[in-house]
Amino acid sequence: MSRPRWRKLRRDMALAWGRTVMMVVAIAAGVTGIGAVLSANAIASREISRNYLGTAPAAATLELDRVDAALVEQVRARPGISDAQARATVTARMRIGPDEWRGLVLFVVPDFDHLRIATFTRESGAWPPPSGTMLIERSARDMVPSGPVEVRLPGGESRTLTVSGTVHDPALAPAWQERAGYGYITPQTFAALDGGPLDELKIRTQATTQDGITRTSRDLAAWLRAQGHQVHEVQVPPPGKHPHESQMQALMLMLLIFAVLGLVLAGILVATVIGGMLVQQIRQIGVMKAVGARTGQIAGLYAVQVLLLGLAAAAVGVPAGTLAGRAYADVIADLLNLDLHSRAVPLWVYATQLAAAVLVPLLVAAVPIRRAARITVREAISDYGVRPETVSARLTGLSRTLLLALRNAFRRRARLALTLGLLSAGGALFLSGLNVAAAWQRTVDDGMAARHYDMEVRLAAADPALVERIRTTPGVTRVETWGRAPTTAGDVVSTYPDGGHGSFSLRGVPEESRVLDLPVTSGRWLRPGDTNAVVLNSMAANPLPDAKPGDMLTLKLDGRASTWRVVGTVREIGSPATAYVTKTAFEQHADPARDLRIATSDTAAVQRTLRDAHVESATLATTELREAIDGHIFVLIGALIALAVLMAIVGVLGLTAATGTSVVERTREFAVMQAIGATPRTVLKVVLGETVFIGVLSWLAATLLALPLSWAIGNLLGDLAFRTSLPLTLSPLALALWALAAIAGSAVAGAAPARRAARLTIRQALAYV
């Protein structure tokens, strides 16, 4: 029995080579998606940890009034401290054009040859950088002008620095994302720029947990204050975690869910095709049973066929998934400023892909295989194909050809549901990807629209005369003076060394401000006369997760505590955690306001005014802010859409398989139609009408299914990026594209089976068994 059995298996696969290839392609597509996400995640997770921990990141950073070598030695001897080093970080500005400046974060390193904490590696140039020069982070090459760079510290004079080489610091986000430069200089160069003393104390602790590090840092801060030092801020970022690690893991999980859904769709496609093939061979199964074949033997025969399909798909999908995963890991590395020391994919990823390629189709196909294998000889021999359906019989008022197409679509309700589910799921993923992209665009557009100003200028000191001078600059329509000061919700903050991730600031808003119009999500906005009221933006949920209107909270500014009542929360896109208070209240607790928000049609003219006034300032255009926001997410959106396209292809293949099966089942019916006068053109119309109808139904179902899916993905992505959900958005472009793809894909899917049915002669159709 073994040789005839396997001979039949080989012949079945050879005769149905088109379906065989289609199933292999579908499974391989699912395996490729799974492999790409798992491989990229495995590589990126390993390398992000290796890169970040390789810098020996500081467990905590304490900002003091002054740090010298003697103090560092004393701190090293303190209980719980394993090492300490002095540093300084200052945000300067550099000239990038005649009237254009850009932010430059300068890291002052006293000893380049003995880096032990927050290290970075040399890539090119002199080490350490000679006096009057700076090393730049490699990702800042496009942010920093080539040749001599004019640099100015807050309150200092302009000086020229030369770029003497590059370094790699994987603890920092790429400079092109932050729209700023990163420079590394010696204390001698810092002094030449009119810089002050080193004021950062970076420590590594024996404790490794957040709570343990926080306790050690608090004890050290108390000791430093007892020694007469001013402790401005204590920063304890999440231990051992890159600033973007949590976001990367969450996004990878979302992509993995998409990929798994794709593999499940491929498995359903296999079940559909195998089910159709079993329907075609139902009489053969009856004959095999009549000559002694057992149910288990028949089920095993078709299970082996599915197993072989899975193995063939794995042979294609595993290498393709690995290559795609490595390519995506390269993109992630560029996005996170990492070096990939190894692109090796763990063995468990290969094992998972192989198991998925074999087991998922086998499990899904088990249902039709079991049903067909258990059929009795009498049922198999008496099978005559499709059965009439009462639902479609109620369809009236249509042309005969269209009516016949619709009735044919409803004959096999289970198959129709399966095919619709397959195509609709692929379409829903496709629509969700584009809907989320549109929601992101809309959210950022709304966030930018809430800013009725074009540039922000940060002055070294308040200067009312300059404000009036800028107000009369051609193109300027409005100038407002705002207050800004770093603050903390306790005595420890989670700010990373770049000063941006995890930061929290207090902003003083002019009473009659018109340059910011943020939507209120709870409570109210500030009112003139508010003296202790505070409004929190979306990102303030990080340091203050439970704050709500009516709560009292304590904020510290330069170590001084102040009490405020929360009166509202607002939705703000593109800003770090911020607490808004009135300008009057701000100046009761902090230095006078010195940030300018300017609405102008000519930012270059404002830059010239600042230059002519010899004013030290840092400027940020809203266009640069927009580029920084979009730079964080475009890779994810691209991956989401790529996976969605794969799923849509699987859905179209499923429709092709279902249509082919339906045509085989109705072979004799087509003979009867032709015998009573139907032309081949009529047969062609019937089959194509059926597939296009299913395509239209799938478009409607995909649109409905995409609503909750887009909402869920938007919530996840919005919370990661802005701590607020993205609005549910239906992209007209996505709907139009999927309508076109569904109709065109269904027409293509039905074309080959329709032509085959139309070419059948009456004799061929009646002779079919």
Side-chain angles (χ1 to χ4, degrees), residues 454-504:
D454 301 286
M455 61 187 304
E456 185 173 350
V457 178
R458 297 177 180 176
L459 303 175
D463 191 342
L466 176 65
V467 174
E468 291 304 315
R469 187 170 176 178
I470 293 175
R471 188 171 280 119
T472 60
T473 300
V476 173
T477 57
R478 190 171 185 85
V479 181
E480 291 184 0
T481 306
W482 285 52
R484 179 180 58 86
T487 188
T488 66
D491 54 355
V492 175
V493 297
S494 300
T495 307
Y496 276 88
D498 61 6
H501 293 86
S503 63
F504 187 24

Side-chain angles (χ1 to χ4, degrees), residues 76-320:
R76 282 195 191 123
R78 293 281 304 164
I81 306 295
S82 57
D83 200 358
Q85 282 194 316
R87 290 281 186 90
T89 302
V90 62
T91 300
R93 66 190 187 105
M94 58 183 171
R95 187 187 294 273
I96 60 174
D99 298 301
E100 190 175 0
W101 294 76
R102 175 176 287 152
L104 173 66
V105 181
L106 290 173
F107 301 97
V108 186
V109 183
D111 192 349
F112 278 78
D113 292 322
H114 297 90
L115 294 172
R116 299 187 305 276
I117 303 177
T119 66
F120 45 89
T121 56
R122 171 190 175 188
E123 289 214 332
S124 67
W127 182 279
S131 182
T133 71
M134 65 176 172
L135 296 168
I136 62 170
E137 215 286 323
R138 69 183 188 188
S139 66
R141 292 189 189 101
D142 294 334
M143 295 290 106
V144 180
S146 58
V149 183
E150 184 181 343
V151 177
R152 181 180 292 175
L153 295 186
E157 296 293 327
S158 290
R159 298 287 189 272
T160 299
L161 295 183
T162 302
V163 176
S164 58
T166 58
V167 300
H168 178 219
D169 190 345
L172 299 175
W176 57 267
Q177 281 187 4
E178 304 304 318
R179 312 307 298 173
Y182 298 134
Y184 300 78
I185 59 176
T186 63
Q188 293 76 21
T189 301
F190 189 47
L193 292 171
D194 301 325
L198 301 179
D199 59 1
E200 288 181 348
L201 180 63
K202 292 187 176 293
I203 63 171
R204 288 179 66 84
T205 63
Q206 294 171 2
T208 57
T209 64
Q210 183 101 24
D211 290 342
I213 296 171
T214 299
R215 282 194 299 270
T216 302
S217 301
R218 283 174 174 159
D219 292 344
L220 177 59
W223 178 81
L224 288 168
R225 291 189 181 100
Q227 302 300 309
H229 290 279
Q230 295 180 18
V231 181
H232 300 294
E233 190 171 89
V234 180
Q235 302 169 359
V236 182
K241 269 194 170 184
H242 187 279
H244 291 155
E245 185 171 352
S246 297
Q247 291 92 328
M248 186 199 75
Q249 295 291 353
L251 297 179
M252 280 296 184
L253 176 60
M254 183 177 67
L255 291 178
L256 181 61
I257 293 172
F258 263 57
V260 169
L261 287 174
L263 184 62
V264 172
L265 290 181
I268 294 174
L269 169 61
V270 172
T272 302
V273 175
I274 292 294
M277 186 182 67
L278 290 171
V279 168
Q280 183 180 354
Q281 296 185 4
I282 201 71
R283 294 191 177 187
Q284 294 181 25
I285 293 173
V287 172
M288 286 190 288
K289 282 206 165 187
V291 297
R294 297 188 299 275
T295 297
Q297 290 176 319
I298 294 173
L301 177 66
Y302 292 106
V304 169
Q305 183 172 352
V306 176
L307 178 64
L308 292 175
L309 292 172
L311 291 174
V316 176
V318 171

Side-chain angles (χ1 to χ4, degrees), residues 366-440:
V367 175
I369 289 175
R370 181 173 180 270
R371 184 169 57 245
R374 296 181 65 182
I375 197 169
T376 65
V377 175
R378 186 189 63 79
E379 290 172 333
I381 298 300
S382 62
D383 181 79
Y384 57 86
V386 293
R387 294 170 177 78
E389 293 291 348
T390 58
V391 173
S392 60
R394 292 194 293 268
L395 294 172
T396 58
L398 302 173
S399 71
R400 290 184 179 181
T401 303
L402 180 57
L403 181 61
L404 187 57
L406 298 184
R407 285 178 173 176
N408 287 337
F410 283 103
R411 282 185 173 185
R412 292 281 193 179
R413 294 188 215 170
R415 183 183 299 152
L416 175 64
L418 198 61
T419 306
L420 269 179
L422 193 63
L423 197 57
S424 302
L429 296 178
F430 179 82
L431 290 173
S432 297
L434 292 180
N435 284 346
V436 170
W440 177 274

